[in-house]
Amino acid sequence: MKNITACPLDCYDSCTILYENETIKGIKQGLTQGFLCSHLNHYENYKRIEKPRFKGHEITMELALEYLVEILKNSQKTLHFRGNGNFALMQEVMDYFFGSFGATLTDGSLCDGAGEAGIIAGRGYNDIMTPQQIEKSEVIVFWGRNPHTTSSHILPLLKDKTTIVIDPIKTQIAKDADLHVQIKPHGDAEFALLLSRFLFIEGSVDKEFVEQYAPEYEEFYELTQTIRIKAVLDDIGVSLGDIGRFLELVRDKKVAILCGVGIQKYLDGADVMRTIDAFGVLLGIFAKEGSGVSYLGSSKRGIDSPFMFTCKPKKVSKVDTKFGDFESVFIQGANPVNQMPNTNRVREELQKVQNMIYFGLYENQTSAMADLVIPAKTFLEKSDIRTSYATHYMYEMPQLQESDIGISEYELAQYLCNAFAIKLESQESYLEHFKSFVQENEEGILEIKGRDEIAYHNGFGNEEFVFIDEFESDKDEGDELYLLTCKSSKSLNSQFKVEDKVYLHPSLGFTQNQLVEISSVSGKICLHVSLDERLREDCVLIYSGTNGVNNLTTSKRSYEGNSAVYQQNRVRVTAV
Ligand SMILES: Nc1nc2c(c(=O)[nH]1)N[C@H]1C(S)=C(S)[C@@H](COP(=O)(O)OP(=O)(O)OC[C@H]3O[C@@H](n4cnc5c(=O)[nH]c(N)nc54)[C@H](O)[C@@H]3O)O[C@H]1N2
Ligand SMILES: Nc1nc2c(c(=O)[nH]1)N[C@H]1C(S)=C(S)[C@@H](COP(=O)(O)OP(=O)(O)OC[C@H]3O[C@@H](n4cnc5c(=O)[nH]c(N)nc54)[C@H](O)[C@@H]3O)O[C@H]1N2
Ligand code: SF4
Ligand SMILES: [Mo]
């Protein structure tokens, strides 16, 4: 049996794994270079759900499946809500069952949707710089992205390169950088517009590039001139010196601007992305080796789904889902009671649901509320295949272990399709379908066909790059603090070891371990303080996965991209 697989988690690195003597370890190739992160190194130690249960009582899998069929038979309105707990492609077989059954599915994004909408508006489609291309760059800009935590495998590629970091937190990469701009949260669009304006003033715009690919650049220059330099610099916490230094470091260099989700957790997140893209266009860094602006890629671009519906299922947004409109809600690979924005609203809505079903690996705030809990199989116990948002590869994930615990997505879909007389192909044929979109390269790695090694080398998807044509600052005034809620090294969103602290700058006057209440217009939460010099004085950091963090966030959707916006609400901190 082939004993090579890939990490199933929603992570840039998509590590390749060797399974030997019942243990997993990283393969000494590609980005993985023999190392996995702590999540996978301790994967088998995390306590998983072992038995199905109904209304709090353990039952057999057989009975759980019978109950599930009974519930679905009698349900007038059913919702299938799927999250990102496992990133592999067979997760979608459950969408196929529910869509064919007549249930409602979800659309929109709890993750990167606003930024992606901005990219598509400007460039036509979202393509990435692969690690091979990043390696060829001379200057790397981490813009709202924290590689030590979220993609540690690219760190070796940074050797001998100039690094610039734009982040309100002095992250590890910021500490080591040639320039760290500790920008005020949500100041990025103005910063990018100012960088662009100074590029024009200096005469450093890549004229040849913009004439060919972005002929409307003069109009964009006019837009940048509407930004009042002094007032805006003060407002976003950036100095003229920062702008000068930035431009000096990138001039005539191969520059990779790597954007993370940090820049776009706002209503106008798409516009933020578009201003950064515009700056990249003026610098002329697209369509060239070792340079570009890169974000989380569209992992399924160029791959058609094998799961075809005879009629299109209805969809509701996963940002502000009205669960209460449904009689039955089936939640798969997700923890919406903690990870969706505005979780007070989510809880209230879910309380109205008659039958709440949870299908997952771990106990969490969502499984605790569910009537019926069905344990899943781990990635080692089922056959699957995955793609990535940071490479053009597809990774096979064959079954490597037997287990009596849980049921795989395919087996569950098969059981349900059988019960409701829905046609389902074999698991192998679906996996083969996915593999029909790849070709094997010399090293035996599966590459998705039609993806370019150098992004946009044949031009943008639109005939020309489309500049943002108006910009209005979306920041509300006030003395309240900014909420930062980014990824923790201990957890993968709410999986594994979650954080339980609020991080504050010492100058705010609170003491280590003091219990405080953090509140916003949406809700509140009490946490112990951890004093943190890495933060700006006007910021409050609560990591993703922390129980209750999303009591504070809004369920408004981003203006573009139907995406959650976790950092739009400001917060207050008071002693309790
Ligand atoms: N260990 C670990 N790895 C993960 C995950 C995890 O939970 N844990 N989650 C995975 C998932 S689902 C995703 S989507 C990726 C995301 O990975 P990243 O894109 O790295 O996302 P974040 O950690 O949310 O934010 C990155 C940085 O943006 C900064 N930031 C916040 N607000 C702003 C702002 O307004 N402007 C600027 N310039 N910066 C800002 C934060 O301080 C943070 O350092 O990571 C994946 N990898
Ligand atoms: N405050 C705040 N909120 C956030 C974010 C943030 O940065 N800050 N980040 C957002 C982002 S980027 C994302 S992607 C979302 C992620 O949020 P979710 O999609 O909810 O993801 P997780 O919390 O990683 O995992 C949810 C569950 O998936 C289940 N699971 C794991 N593997 C499998 C499997 O193989 N099969 C099945 N059936 N279940 C499985 C596990 O039981 C786990 O508890 O959170 C978003 N929420
Ligand atoms: S979570 Fe990311 S870094 Fe860790 S093993 Fe998986 S792909 Fe690699
Ligand atoms: Mo995400």
Side-chain angles (χ1 to χ4, degrees):
M1 183 159 47
K2 227 175 171 183
N3 58 349
I4 292 173
T5 184
C7 173
L9 297 175
D10 179 351
C11 169
Y12 292 95
D13 292 357
S14 38
C15 291
T16 39
I17 294 176
L18 182 68
Y19 179 77
E20 233 174 22
N21 307 325
E22 292 181 28
T23 53
I24 54 178
K25 58 180 184 207
I27 293 182
K28 276 207 180 77
Q29 70 169 38
L31 268 190
T32 310
Q33 284 309 320
F35 301 100
L36 301 175
C37 71
S38 63
H39 307 132
L40 267 280
N41 281 332
H42 303 288
Y43 191 75
E44 309 249 22
N45 301 342
Y46 298 107
K47 194 174 157 26
R48 61 193 282 205
I49 305 176
E50 297 200 356
K51 289 259 162 57
R53 56 174 196 269
F54 184 67
K55 308 261 185 217
H57 298 286
E58 281 188 3
I59 54 174
T60 61
M61 183 63 84
E62 222 179 347
L63 205 52
L65 298 181
E66 280 173 26
Y67 284 175
L68 177 58
V69 169
E70 208 49 37
I71 288 170
L72 294 177
K73 262 190 189 149
N74 295 313
S75 177
Q76 297 302 315
K77 254 187 119 183
T78 304
L79 175 73
H80 174 234
F81 183 101
R82 180 160 67 79
N84 285 5
N86 178 321
F87 202 74
L89 298 174
M90 284 306 286
Q91 292 287 316
E92 207 184 314
V93 70
M94 294 293 292
D95 298 28
Y96 169 75
F97 163 72
F98 278 105
S100 310
F101 166 75
T104 302
L105 310 184
T106 61
D107 58 15
S109 162
L110 295 183
C111 177
D112 59 344
E116 173 150 293
I119 288 178
I120 289 167
R123 312 185 205 162
Y125 67 99
N126 177 13
D127 201 357
I128 48 165
M129 285 183 74
T130 59
Q132 292 88 327
Q133 288 300 314
I134 294 171
E135 194 165 19
K136 290 184 180 148
S137 64
E138 295 162 303
V139 182
I140 303 195
V141 184
F142 289 97
W143 203 322
R145 178 160 162 184
N146 180 12
H148 283 83
T149 296
T150 62
S151 47
S152 56
H153 289 86
I154 67 165
L155 295 171
L157 307 188
L158 307 184
K159 213 168 150 270
D160 303 326
K161 295 194 198 304
T162 302
T163 49
I164 301 177
V165 176
I166 320 295
D167 200 305
I169 303 180
K170 200 167 195 57
T171 54
Q172 188 59 45
I173 191 79
K175 282 183 193 146
D176 305 334
D178 295 278
L179 172 68
H180 174 212
V181 180
Q182 194 162 12
I183 195 167
K184 203 186 254 192
H186 209 176
D188 305 280
E190 278 106 330
F191 183 46
L193 288 169
L194 282 175
L195 284 170
S196 298
R197 178 158 175 195
F198 278 91
L199 211 59
F200 277 110
I201 294 172
E202 276 188 7
S204 305
V205 170
D206 185 337
K207 280 280 164 57
E208 199 188 322
F209 183 82
V210 291
E211 295 285 357
Q212 185 180 351
Y213 292 105
E216 303 284 316
Y217 66 97
E218 295 283 0
E219 282 82 347
F220 180 64
Y221 182 37
E222 281 169 31
L223 177 68
T224 68
Q225 286 171 312
T226 62
I227 304 290
R228 288 164 46 229
I229 298 176
K230 169 103 182 44
V232 166
L233 283 174
D234 287 348
D235 192 38
I236 64 174
V238 175
S239 70
L240 263 185
D242 290 331
I243 300 227
R245 179 95 177 111
F246 191 120
L247 295 181
E248 188 188 321
L249 290 173
V250 299
R251 194 172 299 131
D252 301 324
K253 291 283 184 343
K254 287 184 183 167
V255 183
I257 301 181
L258 306 184
C259 298
V261 293
I263 56 165
Q264 54 94 65
K265 296 179 180 182
Y266 306 102
L267 289 170
D268 65 350
D271 285 355
V272 178
M273 190 67 235
R274 291 188 72 179
T275 57
I276 297 173
D277 263 0
F279 172 64
V281 164
L282 299 180
L283 266 183
I285 58 177
F286 283 100
K288 291 178 186 156
E289 181 150 270
S291 48
V293 181
S294 192
Y295 179 60
L296 292 80
S298 310
S299 58
K300 294 185 197 161
R301 189 166 59 84
I303 302 166
D304 294 338
S305 171
F307 304 113
M308 308 293 270
F309 300 111
T310 37
C311 54
K312 253 194 161 159
K314 259 199 259 131
K315 292 191 178 176
V316 294
S317 171
K318 58 165 61 162
V319 178
D320 54 1
T321 322
K322 291 201 181 64
F323 294 104
D325 290 353
F326 297 88
E327 203 175 311
S328 305
V329 173
F330 185 99
I331 296 168
Q332 171 192 345
N335 182 13
V337 186
N338 204 53
Q339 291 307 111
M340 268 178 90
N342 198 349
T343 35
N344 286 326
R345 188 201 69 85
V346 172
R347 260 188 303 268
E348 273 168 34
E349 284 287 326
L350 282 169
Q351 267 152 8
K352 297 184 213 159
V353 174
Q354 216 174 314
N355 308 296
M356 180 176 158
I357 304 126
Y358 171 83
F359 176 37
L361 269 183
Y362 305 117
E363 299 289 3
N364 55 32
Q365 292 82 358
T366 305
S367 69
M369 279 185 76
D371 302 291
L372 178 61
V373 173
I374 301 178
K377 287 216 180 287
T378 72
F379 75 106
L380 296 168
E381 300 162 351
K382 59 194 174 198
S383 296
D384 214 323
I385 198 157
R386 73 163 287 173
T387 53
S388 159
Y389 46 84
T391 72
H392 292 322
Y393 301 150
M394 194 179 270
Y395 310 81
E396 290 180 273
M397 304 167 70
Q399 185 188 340
L400 299 167
Q401 271 182 357
E402 293 291 336
S403 164
D404 297 335
I405 302 172
I407 183 165
S408 75
E409 285 67 23
Y410 182 81
E411 286 165 338
L412 183 52
Q414 194 177 32
Y415 184 93
L416 292 169
C417 284
N418 216 357
F420 291 95
I422 293 165
K423 189 169 181 292
L424 185 78
E425 305 293 336
S426 71
Q427 172 155 263
E428 290 65 38
S429 73
Y430 291 127
L431 294 172
E432 281 307 315
H433 171 97
F434 286 122
K435 276 169 54 183
S436 70
F437 296 93
V438 300
Q439 60 205 11
E440 208 169 302
N441 72 11
E442 314 85 71
E443 294 154 278
I445 298 171
L446 305 181
E447 288 183 339
I448 297 165
K449 292 181 211 162
R451 302 257 191 116
D452 297 323
E453 181 49 35
I454 296 177
Y456 308 107
H457 79 113
N458 290 321
F460 292 108
N462 299 325
E463 240 161 72
E464 57 189 55
F465 180 79
V466 182
F467 285 100
I468 182 171
D469 57 6
E470 56 179 356
F471 177 76
E472 215 177 309
S473 173
D474 202 30
K475 289 205 295 287
D476 43 45
E477 301 298 314
D479 60 351
E480 290 160 305
L481 301 166
Y482 291 88
L483 173 66
L484 295 176
T485 172
C486 47
K487 312 300 184 193
S488 154
S489 54
K490 297 178 192 157
S491 73
L492 203 298
N493 295 308
S494 70
Q495 301 187 67
F496 313 121
K497 285 199 176 105
V498 293
E499 300 259 358
D500 59 358
K501 295 270 191 309
V502 55
Y503 293 79
L504 299 173
H505 194 271
S507 69
L508 287 174
F510 298 98
T511 53
Q512 184 70 13
N513 234 4
Q514 183 180 352
L515 187 67
V516 294
E517 181 184 278
I518 309 101
S519 59
S520 76
V521 289
S522 299
K524 58 190 182 195
I525 156 183
C526 287
L527 293 169
H528 292 278
V529 171
S530 181
L531 296 175
D532 192 343
E533 300 267 3
R534 300 171 308 156
L535 300 180
R536 292 171 54 94
E537 298 173 6
D538 52 7
C539 291
V540 172
L541 166 62
I542 308 175
Y543 285 104
S544 178
T546 306
N547 188 3
V549 56
N550 281 315
N551 290 354
L552 301 170
T553 55
T554 178
S555 46
K556 286 184 187 155
R557 301 183 210 169
S558 59
Y559 300 136
E560 308 293 331
N562 190 2
S563 187
V565 290
Y566 297 97
Q567 295 185 170
Q568 190 71 31
N569 281 351
R570 300 282 194 90
V571 297
R572 282 177 193 277
V573 182
T574 46
V576 292

